[in-house]
Amino acid sequence: MPLHRQTEEHTAPERRWDLSSYRALLVDGDDMQRLTVARHLSATDIAIEEAHNAAEGIELAHHRPYDVIVFDMQLPDDDGLGFARAIRSDPALTRTRLLLLTSVGRRRQDIIAFQTAGIEAFVMKPLRRTHLCESVARLLTAESVPALTQVVDEEPPRPTRARVLLVEDNSV
């Protein structure tokens, strides 16, 4: 099989977000998920603080201003909608953007429930760094907050022709 060294680089440039002037609160009861989300968001240079449940998240939000609160739909002491309603009921927190991490959201009634609770954007699980960072960046840097948005998977450009060499000593 004739193989030739590829002369051009076809790697996509790494996306860069500069959210270093913003503060985020991450609320999630799952330690591993919180770690993953924090690592994803670290690509934006946003200042991140963490809370383990809705009560702690609300307490922190009352004491420190956050530009965005990123929270999970399933919190140990409340659901995401209840948490969002609690944040939205406080006049001091009306400018804080809310981004929901969820496994649901494909049905119209889910989106209506998100809007009713005051959630401005959501990202579907499994989380991808690019989608999460893009969503946070859009919420924070947009001049006006759009209607509830979901980051849609971007279709990568398909190669017109590919050649693959597979070498394996196990026939299975």
Side-chain angles (χ1 to χ4, degrees):
M1 175 187 286
L3 299 175
H4 304 282
R5 172 176 259 167
Q6 187 173 358
T7 58
E8 299 175 20
E9 282 195 37
H10 291 286
T11 59
E14 185 175 331
R15 294 186 185 184
R16 301 299 297 157
W17 303 273
D18 182 12
L19 301 178
S20 58
S21 62
Y22 296 98
R23 292 172 40 84
L25 175 61
L26 173 57
V27 184
D28 195 320
D30 184 304
D31 293 339
M32 201 61 198
Q33 170 126 336
R34 218 174 35 258
L35 175 67
T36 300
V37 173
R39 281 188 179 166
H40 285 343
L41 289 177
S42 69
T44 68
D45 292 328
I46 195 168
I48 302 170
E49 292 190 34
E50 299 178 14
H52 300 86
N53 56 48
E56 184 183 353
I58 291 169
E59 183 178 336
L60 284 172
H62 282 285
H63 289 66
R64 298 179 190 103
Y66 295 98
D67 299 294
V68 63
I69 298 176
V70 179
F71 60 101
D72 193 72
M73 182 62 150
Q74 303 297 321
L75 298 172
D77 56 345
D78 200 354
D79 68 1
L81 300 180
F83 176 73
R85 284 191 290 271
I87 294 293
R88 286 295 171 239
S89 69
D90 187 338
L93 302 175
T94 57
R95 297 188 60 146
T96 304
R97 307 283 189 234
L98 298 180
L99 184 133
L100 175 67
L101 308 176
T102 181
S103 300
V104 299
R106 301 196 190 282
R107 299 176 305 172
R108 189 173 185 339
Q109 64 246 32
D110 295 332
I111 293 172
I112 291 169
F114 298 165
Q115 288 173 325
T116 304
I119 297 167
E120 292 145 322
F122 68 99
V123 177
M124 296 289 293
K125 294 178 183 178
L127 298 177
R128 293 188 178 139
R129 185 186 89 164
T130 301
H131 297 152
L132 178 62
C133 293
E134 283 293 326
S135 189
V136 170
R138 285 182 191 152
L139 275 178
L140 295 177
T141 60
E143 292 186 16
S144 64
V145 178
L148 184 73
T149 58
Q150 173 196 9
V151 176
V152 180
D153 287 345
E154 296 173 3
E155 197 61 35
R158 295 185 180 270
T160 55
R161 185 173 174 205
R163 296 176 73 165
V164 177
L165 171 63
L166 174 63
V167 179
E168 175 58 53
D169 64 345
N170 184 333
S171 63
V172 174

